Amino acid sequence: MSLIFNNDQAWQTLKNGLIRLAKQEVQPRFRHVDPSTKADGSILTEADTEMQKAVQSFLTEHWPQFMFLGEESSKEAQQTALRSENGCWILDPVDGTSNFANDIPIYTVSLALVIQGDVQVGMVYDPDRDELFAARKGLGAEINGQPLRARSAHTELKHCIGLVDFKRLQPPLSTALVLKPPYASQRSIGSVALDWCWIAAGRGQLYCHGAQNIWDYAAGWLILNEAGGQSATLQGESVLVPQVVKRSAVAASTPKLFQHWFETLQTYQQSSKD
């Protein structure tokens, strides 16, 4: 991993900075939102734009060697940042903007550091619950400074809670999951970054999402991986690719559950083709 963040002082500076800026730029704007609509139909708020500016300034001040990719950056700037050999920060200033704009207190700030195509650092801060999920590659995951391990007492899908975003799945798979749910219960919380972290924390054991971008998943992907969970795309590939392209995601809190969950989804997908 980046040796910079092996240093506890640098690691703490990064964590404190992200929390401070979220409390300064995002949390005070909750329930005071005048959203606009972007060209792709998604919601944009003042919290998104001001948090991105503040975080970019903070990161440039402390670690100017890394480039910056924000969800609200231009496509050209995003691609340029990802091509940097030195690495780049990837920020989603408000993940769960629809929740944020509709007074639903489930939203996060997600930050990752990608160097040569690999996530080295990941942080997801939940302002409403004051929880910081974080990970450094090879050094494990944590929540509010305490070690985080992805565990589950459940060994069968039928006892699990699934975090499933039906909206972005292909209709045949969504229909199969509705008609023959393999889990005990299902949730969709509206924040991709928090989905990954809650699976790592055992607040749900199974995850499925049809299309998420790198600023949505990069930090959470590392946190779950470092916590001992497992993930892949619906096609069995690594979710992480250093590109601005949407990826499906299947994950579980333990390797055994992941195997059962992935095989079940494959069976459902195959059945829809027959």
PDB file of all heavy atoms in Angstrom, residues 12 20 90 99 102 129 134 172 181 210 256 263 272:
ATOM      1  N   GLN A  12      -4.375   9.467  10.541  1.00  0.00           N
ATOM      2  CA  GLN A  12      -5.295  10.189  11.407  1.00  0.00           C
ATOM      3  C   GLN A  12      -5.653  11.547  10.814  1.00  0.00           C
ATOM      4  O   GLN A  12      -6.799  12.002  10.922  1.00  0.00           O
ATOM      5  CB  GLN A  12      -4.687  10.367  12.801  1.00  0.00           C
ATOM      6  CG  GLN A  12      -5.706  10.708  13.874  1.00  0.00           C
ATOM      7  CD  GLN A  12      -6.748   9.618  14.064  1.00  0.00           C
ATOM      8  OE1 GLN A  12      -6.429   8.444  14.179  1.00  0.00           O
ATOM      9  NE2 GLN A  12      -8.016  10.012  14.078  1.00  0.00           N
ATOM     10  N   ARG A  20     -14.253  16.164   9.555  1.00  0.00           N
ATOM     11  CA  ARG A  20     -14.445  17.603   9.776  1.00  0.00           C
ATOM     12  C   ARG A  20     -15.169  18.254   8.604  1.00  0.00           C
ATOM     13  O   ARG A  20     -16.112  19.041   8.803  1.00  0.00           O
ATOM     14  CB  ARG A  20     -13.088  18.278   9.992  1.00  0.00           C
ATOM     15  CG  ARG A  20     -13.140  19.802  10.087  1.00  0.00           C
ATOM     16  CD  ARG A  20     -11.773  20.389  10.356  1.00  0.00           C
ATOM     17  NE  ARG A  20     -10.788  20.050   9.339  1.00  0.00           N
ATOM     18  CZ  ARG A  20     -10.677  20.683   8.163  1.00  0.00           C
ATOM     19  NH1 ARG A  20     -11.501  21.693   7.870  1.00  0.00           N
ATOM     20  NH2 ARG A  20      -9.741  20.339   7.300  1.00  0.00           N
ATOM     21  N   ILE A  90     -10.373   9.301  -5.284  1.00  0.00           N
ATOM     22  CA  ILE A  90     -11.698   9.161  -5.889  1.00  0.00           C
ATOM     23  C   ILE A  90     -12.731   9.494  -4.815  1.00  0.00           C
ATOM     24  O   ILE A  90     -12.799   8.833  -3.774  1.00  0.00           O
ATOM     25  CB  ILE A  90     -11.917   7.734  -6.435  1.00  0.00           C
ATOM     26  CG1 ILE A  90     -10.904   7.448  -7.549  1.00  0.00           C
ATOM     27  CG2 ILE A  90     -13.341   7.573  -6.944  1.00  0.00           C
ATOM     28  CD1 ILE A  90     -11.024   6.064  -8.152  1.00  0.00           C
ATOM     29  N   ASN A  99     -31.553  10.092  -1.110  1.00  0.00           N
ATOM     30  CA  ASN A  99     -31.935  10.078   0.304  1.00  0.00           C
ATOM     31  C   ASN A  99     -31.742  11.458   0.923  1.00  0.00           C
ATOM     32  O   ASN A  99     -32.626  11.983   1.607  1.00  0.00           O
ATOM     33  CB  ASN A  99     -31.075   9.065   1.072  1.00  0.00           C
ATOM     34  CG  ASN A  99     -31.480   7.624   0.842  1.00  0.00           C
ATOM     35  OD1 ASN A  99     -32.533   7.345   0.279  1.00  0.00           O
ATOM     36  ND2 ASN A  99     -30.647   6.704   1.283  1.00  0.00           N
ATOM     37  N   ASN A 102     -34.265  14.014   0.075  1.00  0.00           N
ATOM     38  CA  ASN A 102     -35.622  13.700   0.509  1.00  0.00           C
ATOM     39  C   ASN A 102     -35.711  13.460   2.015  1.00  0.00           C
ATOM     40  O   ASN A 102     -36.636  12.784   2.492  1.00  0.00           O
ATOM     41  CB  ASN A 102     -36.137  12.471  -0.249  1.00  0.00           C
ATOM     42  CG  ASN A 102     -36.488  12.789  -1.688  1.00  0.00           C
ATOM     43  OD1 ASN A 102     -37.560  13.339  -1.967  1.00  0.00           O
ATOM     44  ND2 ASN A 102     -35.597  12.471  -2.613  1.00  0.00           N
ATOM     45  N   ARG A 129     -24.897   8.863  11.703  1.00  0.00           N
ATOM     46  CA  ARG A 129     -24.574   7.934  12.790  1.00  0.00           C
ATOM     47  C   ARG A 129     -23.169   8.164  13.343  1.00  0.00           C
ATOM     48  O   ARG A 129     -22.742   7.462  14.259  1.00  0.00           O
ATOM     49  CB  ARG A 129     -24.707   6.483  12.288  1.00  0.00           C
ATOM     50  CG  ARG A 129     -26.134   5.952  12.369  1.00  0.00           C
ATOM     51  CD  ARG A 129     -26.411   4.868  11.358  1.00  0.00           C
ATOM     52  NE  ARG A 129     -26.562   5.457  10.028  1.00  0.00           N
ATOM     53  CZ  ARG A 129     -27.696   6.021   9.589  1.00  0.00           C
ATOM     54  NH1 ARG A 129     -28.759   6.039  10.359  1.00  0.00           N
ATOM     55  NH2 ARG A 129     -27.767   6.553   8.389  1.00  0.00           N
ATOM     56  N   ALA A 134     -13.190   2.495   7.554  1.00  0.00           N
ATOM     57  CA  ALA A 134     -11.937   2.811   6.869  1.00  0.00           C
ATOM     58  C   ALA A 134     -11.096   1.555   6.708  1.00  0.00           C
ATOM     59  O   ALA A 134     -11.240   0.583   7.458  1.00  0.00           O
ATOM     60  CB  ALA A 134     -11.154   3.868   7.650  1.00  0.00           C
ATOM     61  N   PRO A 172     -35.444  -9.933 -15.607  1.00  0.00           N
ATOM     62  CA  PRO A 172     -35.628 -11.362 -15.283  1.00  0.00           C
ATOM     63  C   PRO A 172     -35.032 -11.754 -13.930  1.00  0.00           C
ATOM     64  O   PRO A 172     -35.629 -12.545 -13.195  1.00  0.00           O
ATOM     65  CB  PRO A 172     -34.912 -12.075 -16.440  1.00  0.00           C
ATOM     66  CG  PRO A 172     -34.963 -11.100 -17.573  1.00  0.00           C
ATOM     67  CD  PRO A 172     -34.795  -9.754 -16.926  1.00  0.00           C
ATOM     68  N   PRO A 181     -37.539 -15.570  -3.333  1.00  0.00           N
ATOM     69  CA  PRO A 181     -36.462 -14.973  -2.540  1.00  0.00           C
ATOM     70  C   PRO A 181     -35.666 -16.044  -1.796  1.00  0.00           C
ATOM     71  O   PRO A 181     -36.244 -16.827  -1.044  1.00  0.00           O
ATOM     72  CB  PRO A 181     -37.197 -14.040  -1.573  1.00  0.00           C
ATOM     73  CG  PRO A 181     -38.587 -14.576  -1.508  1.00  0.00           C
ATOM     74  CD  PRO A 181     -38.875 -15.155  -2.851  1.00  0.00           C
ATOM     75  N   GLY A 210     -26.873  -3.845  -9.653  1.00  0.00           N
ATOM     76  CA  GLY A 210     -26.683  -4.047 -11.083  1.00  0.00           C
ATOM     77  C   GLY A 210     -25.733  -3.105 -11.779  1.00  0.00           C
ATOM     78  O   GLY A 210     -25.179  -3.459 -12.832  1.00  0.00           O
ATOM     79  N   LYS A 256     -18.125 -18.502   2.383  1.00  0.00           N
ATOM     80  CA  LYS A 256     -19.096 -19.575   2.209  1.00  0.00           C
ATOM     81  C   LYS A 256     -20.444 -19.030   1.752  1.00  0.00           C
ATOM     82  O   LYS A 256     -21.060 -19.565   0.818  1.00  0.00           O
ATOM     83  CB  LYS A 256     -19.262 -20.355   3.519  1.00  0.00           C
ATOM     84  CG  LYS A 256     -20.185 -21.562   3.381  1.00  0.00           C
ATOM     85  CD  LYS A 256     -20.216 -22.381   4.665  1.00  0.00           C
ATOM     86  CE  LYS A 256     -21.123 -23.605   4.496  1.00  0.00           C
ATOM     87  NZ  LYS A 256     -21.138 -24.444   5.733  1.00  0.00           N
ATOM     88  N   GLU A 263     -23.778 -18.613  -6.640  1.00  0.00           N
ATOM     89  CA  GLU A 263     -24.323 -19.750  -7.391  1.00  0.00           C
ATOM     90  C   GLU A 263     -25.834 -19.632  -7.565  1.00  0.00           C
ATOM     91  O   GLU A 263     -26.378 -19.959  -8.626  1.00  0.00           O
ATOM     92  CB  GLU A 263     -23.969 -21.057  -6.680  1.00  0.00           C
ATOM     93  CG  GLU A 263     -22.495 -21.415  -6.775  1.00  0.00           C
ATOM     94  CD  GLU A 263     -22.121 -22.628  -5.933  1.00  0.00           C
ATOM     95  OE1 GLU A 263     -22.987 -23.121  -5.172  1.00  0.00           O
ATOM     96  OE2 GLU A 263     -20.959 -23.075  -6.030  1.00  0.00           O
ATOM     97  N   SER A 272     -33.721 -17.751 -16.324  1.00  0.00           N
ATOM     98  CA  SER A 272     -34.457 -16.710 -17.057  1.00  0.00           C
ATOM     99  C   SER A 272     -34.168 -16.769 -18.559  1.00  0.00           C
ATOM    100  O   SER A 272     -34.941 -16.247 -19.360  1.00  0.00           O
ATOM    101  CB  SER A 272     -34.087 -15.326 -16.520  1.00  0.00           C
ATOM    102  OG  SER A 272     -32.745 -14.982 -16.861  1.00  0.00           O
TER     103      SER A 272
END
